[in-house]
Amino acid sequence: MILVRTLLAAAALAAGFSSAPALAEKPRDADKAFEATQQGRSMPLPQLERRVMPFMGGADYLGPELNGSTTRMKFMRNGRVIWVDVDGQGRIVRRSRDK
């Protein structure tokens, strides 16, 4: 019984080590955004949100999504979803129609 547990643990450990390099190769959007913020190339999310909110005319803010080099913010007004893409400097690059 102990031998079986030891073999299972060794197999699980080996599987974890073999998949680790594949996971480490490609940085996630969140990691890229964090790095850009740390290097001063992008504003922190709360600051981006404060920049966009005044342009949304009372729409409800539902939250952000990282979308490559932009942050996509989701709003809702009168039952319609509005997507706003913002670059790292807080400029609105794209906005879906809400009419």
Side-chain angles (χ1 to χ4, degrees):
M1 188 65 164
I2 293 174
L3 180 62
V4 172
R5 275 192 254 164
T6 305
L7 289 174
L8 286 173
L13 190 60
F17 284 135
S18 67
S19 66
L23 295 175
E25 288 176 13
K26 185 177 178 189
R28 298 182 342 228
D29 284 343
D31 296 332
K32 290 179 190 176
F34 177 76
E35 192 174 294
T37 302
Q38 293 296 8
Q39 294 174 354
R41 293 182 287 121
S42 181
M43 292 181 190
L45 179 62
Q47 206 170 350
L48 291 173
E49 291 169 337
R50 284 192 299 272
R51 282 227 170 164
V52 173
M53 293 293 200
F55 296 102
M56 296 312 299
D60 294 324
Y61 180 53
L62 302 178
E65 286 181 10
L66 292 172
N67 188 17
S69 62
T70 61
T71 300
R72 177 167 280 180
M73 297 181 184
K74 185 177 182 180
F75 293 86
M76 183 164 286
R77 180 186 301 131
N78 300 326
R80 298 221 171 171
V81 175
I82 306 164
W83 296 99
V84 179
D85 292 345
V86 182
D87 68 9
Q89 285 70 46
R91 294 182 296 252
I92 296 175
V93 216
R94 186 173 323 145
R95 178 178 168 164
S96 67
R97 304 177 112 209
D98 61 317
K99 305 252 184 230

